[in-house]
């Protein structure tokens, strides 16, 4: 229990104070200039499962295969494993910036297939490393999320992120979480309070 409490970030949980039962969500997100919810639609979402390795080009090829299969099956969004682009952390040399070849390749794939993709990487930004997930689409990079709740092993190499990632697609409001975030109930609840599908 202590380990689970130790990863919590209460300063990022202010939305938990909202009483979500007081308002109709469709009305709530139109108040005070807040971003209205997307219209939404029945949409197929794919999950691409594989074990990413240190060969980034091989990871991208496998993602391409999974994305083509998902698109052929009618998916509009494909969610890939944590660190799917770079593979698990094995040293700072594997890290990339958000405009690096792996994210660029993912964007090109999204444009080719007219598909939204969620992938992950070890992100380098001004000398700091993050466990990051990106949401890309035919338009390019739509949002990036730096994992907020790090495991003990991740804390040896990564810095925790400090904000939630939410983006409206034509068919849904998307919020990103990574791995350990799912072990912290506040994380999913906050995304729900922000109107994520």
């Amino acid at each position: 229990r202590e380990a689970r409490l130790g990863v919590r970030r209460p300063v990022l949980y202010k939305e938990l104070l909202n009483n979500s039962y007081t308002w109709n969500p469709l009305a709530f997100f139109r108040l005070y200039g807040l971003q209205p919810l997307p219209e939404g639609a029945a949409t197929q979402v794919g999950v691409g499962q594989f074990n990413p390795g240190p060969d980034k080009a091989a990871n991208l090829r496998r993602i391409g295969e999974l994305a083509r299969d998902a698109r052929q099956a009618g998916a509009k969004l494909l969610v890939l494993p944590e660190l799917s682009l770079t593979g698990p952390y094995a040293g700072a040399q594997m890290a990339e910036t958000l405009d690096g070849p792996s994210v660029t390749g993912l964007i090109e794939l999204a444009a080719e297939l007219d598909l939204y993709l969620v992938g992950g990487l070890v992100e380098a930004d001004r000398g700091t490393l993050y466990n990051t997930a990106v949401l890309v689409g035919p338009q390019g990079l739509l949002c990036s999320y730096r994992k907020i709740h790090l495991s003990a092993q991740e804390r040896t190499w990564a810095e925790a992120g400090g904000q939630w990632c939410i983006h409206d697609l034509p068919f849904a409001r998307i919020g990103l979480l990574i791995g350990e975030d799912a072990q912290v109930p506040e994380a999913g609840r906050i995304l729900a309070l922000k109107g994520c599908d």
Side-chain angles (χ1 to χ4, degrees):
R1 284 186 180 174
E2 271 183 52
R4 190 66 50 222
L5 289 173
V7 302
R8 284 192 159 85
R9 307 274 305 280
V11 71
L12 299 175
Y13 304 158
K14 67 181 184 298
E15 285 86 0
L16 293 177
L17 301 174
N18 293 344
N19 183 348
S20 59
Y21 300 105
T22 306
W23 299 93
N24 173 327
L26 294 175
F28 176 80
F29 285 100
R30 289 186 176 99
L31 290 172
Y32 312 118
L34 295 176
Q35 189 176 12
L37 293 173
E39 288 221 8
T43 304
Q44 187 168 333
V45 176
V47 177
Q49 187 60 46
F50 75 106
N51 290 320
D55 184 340
K56 296 176 194 177
N59 292 338
L60 202 52
R61 281 193 301 275
R62 182 66 181 128
I63 289 168
E65 294 167 2
L66 293 168
R68 286 177 181 81
D69 290 347
R71 192 67 182 110
Q72 187 173 10
K76 299 271 189 200
L77 169 68
L78 176 65
V79 180
L80 298 158
E82 182 175 6
L83 301 174
S84 55
L85 293 168
T86 58
Y89 178 77
Q93 76 283 355
M94 68 186 305
E96 290 188 20
T97 60
L98 293 179
D99 60 356
S102 293
V103 175
T104 300
L106 197 65
I107 292 168
E108 290 168 0
L109 185 62
E112 173 193 333
L113 298 175
D114 190 28
L115 181 67
Y116 295 95
L117 298 160
V118 175
L121 70 150
V122 176
E123 178 196 356
D125 183 28
R126 292 174 280 191
T128 303
L129 301 180
Y130 300 93
N131 182 342
T132 299
V134 293
L135 171 64
V136 303
Q139 315 89 319
L141 177 63
L142 302 175
C143 98
S144 64
Y145 168 71
R146 293 170 172 169
K147 188 173 182 180
I148 289 174
H149 304 99
L150 299 174
S151 69
Q153 190 276 332
E154 289 168 329
R155 287 193 295 273
T156 66
W157 63 267
E159 186 73 28
Q163 68 181 47
W164 307 102
C165 171
I166 291 150
H167 189 82
D168 287 349
L169 298 180
F171 50 84
R173 177 167 291 175
I174 302 295
L176 299 181
L177 297 175
I178 306 172
E180 193 80 13
D181 289 324
Q183 301 293 319
V184 179
E186 291 88 346
R189 182 71 184 136
I190 286 166
L191 294 187
L193 288 166
K194 289 177 174 283
C196 294
D197 293 293

